[in-house]
Structures are given as C-alpha cells and as structure tokens.
Amino acid sequence: MGDAQLIYLLVFLGFLIAMIAVGILVSRNVSSGEDFLMGGRGLSTPLLIGTTVATLVGTGSSMGAVGFGFSNGWAGALYGIGGSVGMILLLLLFADVRKYNFMTFSEELSFYYGANKLVKGLTSIILYVACIGWLGAHIIGGSLYLSWITGIDPILAKIIVALGFGLYTLIGGYLAVVYTDVIQGVILFLGFVLLTVLSVITIGGFDDLSSKITPEMGSFLGLEKLGLIPALSLAVVIAVGVLATPSYRHRIYSSKDENTVKKGFWISGILFAIFSLFPAIVGMSAYILNPELESGFAFPYLATEVFPIWIGAIVLVAGLSATMSSGSSDFIAAVAILLRDVYQIFTGSVPKKENMVLFSRISLVLTLVLALFFTLFTNNIITYISNFISTVMSGLFVAALLGKFWKRTNWQGGVASLIAGSATSFVILNNESMLTFWGNPIIPSVIIALLANIIVSLITPAQKISKEESLRLLEEERSMVDEGTTLPHDQTFTQ
C-alpha cells in the first residue's frame, strides 16, 4: 500500500469513527423499540430533507451514475431524473398514509387488502429480501470505490463498508441513521459539486465537454446512445424503486406529520433533480481524460489519479457518504420489517416491548451477514439495481397503487400482481432480444402486474373487510411493539 493509499484509508477510518461517535451520542435518546426503529416518529422538515436526500444520492445515483455517464454521456442523468420523479409521485400518492401510523410497508399493503395475513406475510418476506438487495447494492458500490482508492482486497473492502454503517446503526438505531444521513448528505452534495467543477476545469471547460465526447453521448439525455425505450426504462425503474422501496416509506411513517412529509419530499425531489446532472458531467469528464478506463472505476480514477490527494480525500468521503447513508436507511427498514412482520409469520406473535432494542440489534447483525453474502456474486451496480427492482418491486408498486386507489381490488388481485410482476421480469431477463429492446424488464413487469391485479380481482369475490376494521386489526398487532401511536377509531376514510 502506497503513502497516498494509506492516507485515504486513514481518512475513511477517521470518518467512520466520527459517525460511530454520532451513533453513541444519539443512543442516549433510545429507550424503547419504537425509538430504535422509528426515531420517536418526530422527524422535522430539515431532518427529513437531510436524510431523504442522503438516501436518494446513494450508490447507484452517485458512483453508478458516474460510470453510466462515462459510457453513455448525458444518460447518466437519467438515474437522478427517475429518482426525482419517483419522489414527487410518492408524496402526491402516498404522503397521507402518515396518519395511519404504520411501522412497515408490508403493514401498509396489508391495510389495503383487509389486513389479509397472506398479503402481509408474502409482502413482508419480499420486502425484507428487497432491503437486503438494496444493502447489497450499497456494499458493492462502496467496496469497489474503497478497493480501488486504497488498494485493499475487494472482499475485505465489502466487509469494511458493511461494518462501517452497520456499527453506528447498531448503536443508535434509526435516529443515528437520520443524524449521520444529514451530515453525510451535506458532505456528499458539496463533494460532488466540487468534483464536478474541478472535472470541467481539468478538461478545459464546459465547451470542451461537448466537443470531446461522441455526438451520441452528447445527445439529449443520451437518447441516441442508449435508445429511447432503454432510457425510458432506466428512468422508470428508478422511479418505481423510490415508490416501492421500504426505506422511503419509513421516512413517511417516522415524520412528524403529513405536512412535514410533503414539504420534505418536495424539496428533496427538487434537490435530487439538480444533483442528477453532476454524475453525468463527472462521468463524461473521466471519459475525455481516459476513454480506455473501465466505466465502473471512473469515479475513483478522478479522485486518485487526476486530482491532488486532499481533493481525493474529500471525494473519498463524499462517495462513501453516498453509499453509507443509503445503506443504513435500508438497514433499519429491513429490521423493522423483520421484527414487525416476518417474526410474526414464524412465531405467531411479535417481540415484547422490553425486548425490542435487543432483538433489533440481533436482527441488524443477521441482516448484514445476509447482505454481505449476496454481494459475493456481482460487482455491476446499475445492472444489479435495475434487474433487482424489476423482479422484486414492480408487483409491490402495483399492489400498493391499486390497493389504495381502486376499491374493487382484493387480496387475490394483490397476490397476482406480485407473482405476475416477478414472473414477467424473469422472462425478460432470460430473453436476450427482449432485454436488449427494453433495457430492463420494468415497463412490461408493471403492465403485466397491473393487468393481473385487475383481472384476478374482477373474477374473484370483492373484499368484505372495511378499511376501519383493517386498521383496528393492525393497531392491535402494532400496540404490542409500538408505544403511544394508536389512532382514534373514528378515523374517516376517503379512499
């Protein structure tokens, strides 16, 4: 390991120690399972914006998007654009579910389908796997970067990155995630601004950026390079990911109120749309400087071989902040699902309130080990994320959408959408010509899942349990875990 690599590693370790210290300070306010998993349900607008932006600017939208911009030009902005659209749609369609005090997305889905235990059980397992999948993506991205920039073994890099955000989450729970997200969000946003400006200056200015890339890469959103349908698929798959990822729902459930959710998500969506341009510009700049480079290493190449060591250190912390902030968010959402829903499937009960903090920490360790295992099989971030979302989340998105807004849907239709979405994705992924045409399976997966839900719901009996009764049943379950958050039973339903 060279002197520069040692400095980068020491900077990263110092950053980790600082985040762990934040976790220790925050842990003093954790006295119950609800505090550990939900942060007391009192996130203010500034905290919500900080943690949401930090989670949005994750592995795919930072390092993955830089690599995508390296290969496809302005198409690198599609990730951020899709995420921004997904965030705006999330607040327009689902911000009002804050009033129901849900703890998990699977609980919300169960509510739409008459508190059906099959829906809740099936979706809780799918969502837990989804969180593990997202964790894997963040570990992959962070380890690729850390391995390149420090020269350590890729497997060791994955372990270090996972333990990094695992430790402060284990110590302080959800509040540690939120406060470290805010810190990391500021660092990564400013770091990417600095990296973008310096990259453009290094290649000779913005005019040279346009003249030194191929016309296809310089086309509007890289459509001539990527193709209209694959480009649309990429934006859609990221939007659906935001709409169906448990960690963003967790932000809704843990915010102070519905108005906080709406303000926080609006601002976060706008900031993310602005951010979407940075990775594309950085990626194209790296392409101009070294077109023979492997795209996945465009981001660390700039930090280690183009800029001075002090800039590289800043970029190092910014890039790993993106990975760790998103990873910790999916981490805590996974544990909430595991303890609130999956645990109940296999035991018939939920953990006692006095055991929730201990069980949460045990669950964090289990979840981290599983996520690390899955990362051993791939290192391609964008492909991993795109295929994962299409397979796991297309049906979840449709089930939530129709469950909330179509009164005729029933649990049979909800289950059908889950099965149909995943099956369609598998078919597309195993057909090379279809995959080339679509870019990823998300659009056909969503369409088939939508049709399956509608058709199956219409040919099976209508749902008989009212929303009021569904909520009452779920409140009874939640009261065993969640303190002081049950709703009055005169809740009015407008859907």
Side-chain angles (χ1 to χ4, degrees):
M1 181 181 292
D3 291 342
Q5 291 176 319
L6 179 60
I7 290 173
Y8 289 136
L9 183 58
L10 290 175
V11 168
F12 175 60
L13 293 176
F15 173 69
L16 278 186
I17 292 171
M19 294 301 100
I20 291 170
V22 172
I24 293 172
L25 289 173
V26 169
S27 67
R28 298 174 181 177
N29 297 320
V30 175
S31 59
S32 68
E34 186 198 356
D35 287 339
F36 192 90
L37 295 176
M38 306 301 295
R41 296 188 189 268
L43 290 193
S44 63
T45 300
L47 286 176
L48 179 61
I49 293 170
T51 185
T52 303
V53 170
T55 304
L56 282 168
V57 185
T59 307
S61 57
S62 56
M63 286 174 274
V66 168
F68 205 72
F70 179 95
S71 301
N72 301 286
W74 285 108
L78 288 168
Y79 198 112
I81 292 171
S84 180
V85 171
M87 182 55 58
I88 301 303
L89 288 175
L90 183 62
L91 79 88
L92 292 175
L93 297 175
F94 296 104
D96 61 327
V97 303
R98 172 61 187 89
K99 62 189 175 185
Y100 300 131
N101 283 336
F102 297 130
M103 287 186 71
T104 64
F105 189 20
S106 41
E107 185 183 9
E108 179 186 337
L109 285 164
S110 175
F111 167 68
Y112 298 141
Y113 293 95
N116 183 271
K117 293 188 180 300
L118 176 61
V119 170
K120 188 174 180 219
L122 183 61
T123 55
S124 65
I125 293 173
I126 292 173
L127 286 166
Y128 182 66
V129 172
C131 288
I132 291 175
W134 278 118
L135 269 174
H138 304 313
I139 293 171
I140 290 169
S143 65
L144 284 174
Y145 185 28
L146 188 63
S147 176
W148 172 287
I149 208 167
T150 64
I152 64 176
D153 179 77
I155 300 297
L156 178 60
K158 288 178 180 179
I159 294 172
I160 292 174
V161 169
L163 288 177
F165 60 73
L167 283 174
Y168 64 75
T169 307
L170 187 69
I171 294 168
Y174 185 61
L175 283 177
V177 170
V178 170
Y179 281 98
T180 54
D181 274 1
V182 173
I183 296 169
Q184 292 166 350
V186 173
I187 293 172
L188 66 88
F189 210 92
L190 295 179
F192 266 90
V193 171
L194 175 65
L195 180 60
T196 303
V197 171
L198 293 176
S199 297
V200 172
I201 292 173
T202 301
I203 63 173
F206 201 79
D207 290 340
D208 284 3
L209 178 70
S210 301
S211 63
K212 292 180 180 178
I213 57 175
T214 66
E216 292 79 13
M217 292 174 67
S219 62
F220 178 71
L221 293 179
L223 295 181
E224 294 181 17
K225 173 71 174 178
L226 196 59
L228 177 60
I229 298 299
L232 179 62
S233 291
L234 178 58
V236 171
V237 80
I238 302 306
V240 170
V242 172
L243 285 159
T245 295
S247 60
Y248 296 112
R249 283 305 214 283
H250 207 79
R251 300 285 183 289
I252 295 176
Y253 310 147
S254 59
S255 292
K256 183 179 179 181
D257 51 39
E258 182 182 336
N259 188 49
T260 300
V261 175
K262 290 182 176 179
K263 287 193 296 183
F265 280 7
W266 267 116
I267 296 173
S268 298
I270 293 169
L271 290 174
F272 195 46
I274 296 170
F275 177 87
S276 69
L277 302 175
F278 301 156
I281 294 172
V282 171
M284 289 185 286
S285 299
Y287 172 83
I288 292 170
L289 293 170
N290 187 356
E292 302 302 319
L293 187 69
E294 185 179 341
S295 63
F297 296 106
F299 187 85
Y301 162 76
L302 292 171
T304 58
E305 299 187 27
V306 175
F307 301 126
I309 191 169
W310 68 271
I311 294 176
I314 294 173
V315 174
L316 164 69
V317 173
L320 290 171
S321 289
T323 292
M324 294 172 61
S325 60
S326 299
S328 59
S329 297
D330 291 307
F331 204 13
I332 201 73
V335 172
I337 292 168
L338 182 63
L339 291 182
R340 170 68 181 89
D341 302 318
V342 177
Y343 184 94
Q344 187 178 17
I345 296 172
F346 295 100
T347 66
S349 63
V350 294
K352 295 180 180 179
K353 292 177 183 178
E354 57 268 26
N355 295 330
M356 279 298 292
V357 174
L358 173 62
F359 279 30
S360 295
R361 288 179 169 141
I362 294 172
S363 299
L364 282 168
V365 174
L366 172 64
T367 302
L368 192 63
V369 170
L370 289 173
L372 266 172
F373 174 76
F374 285 118
T375 65
L376 301 178
F377 304 103
T378 183
N379 283 319
N380 189 311
I381 302 169
I382 293 294
T383 299
Y384 178 98
I385 291 174
S386 298
N387 295 343
F388 171 75
I389 293 174
S390 301
T391 302
V392 177
M393 296 191 161
S394 54
L396 289 168
F397 164 64
V398 169
L401 186 68
L402 291 183
K404 188 172 189 293
F405 294 103
W406 188 42
K407 293 182 179 180
R408 183 58 180 83
T409 192
N410 57 20
W411 71 265
Q412 294 94 330
V415 171
S417 61
L418 299 176
I419 296 172
S422 295
T424 304
S425 180
F426 278 122
V427 171
I428 301 293
L429 289 173
N430 287 285
N431 187 305
E432 187 174 345
S433 61
M434 293 177 71
L435 187 59
T436 300
F437 175 79
W438 289 107
N440 66 67
I442 190 63
I443 294 177
S445 292
V446 168
I447 292 172
I448 298 301
L450 189 69
L451 291 174
N453 191 312
I454 293 172
I455 293 170
V456 172
S457 293
L458 290 175
I459 63 176
T460 52
Q463 187 168 286
K464 295 181 180 180
I465 298 180
S466 67
K467 288 288 195 294
E468 290 85 352
E469 179 64 12
S470 295
L471 187 61
R472 186 189 66 78
L473 293 171
L474 292 170
E475 281 179 359
E476 289 178 355
E477 291 180 4
R478 193 188 315 128
S479 65
M480 292 184 280
V481 177
D482 194 4
E483 298 181 30
T485 60
T486 55
L487 292 173
H489 290 287
D490 61 351
Q491 174 72 54
T492 300
F493 292 87
T494 59
Q495 305 267 330

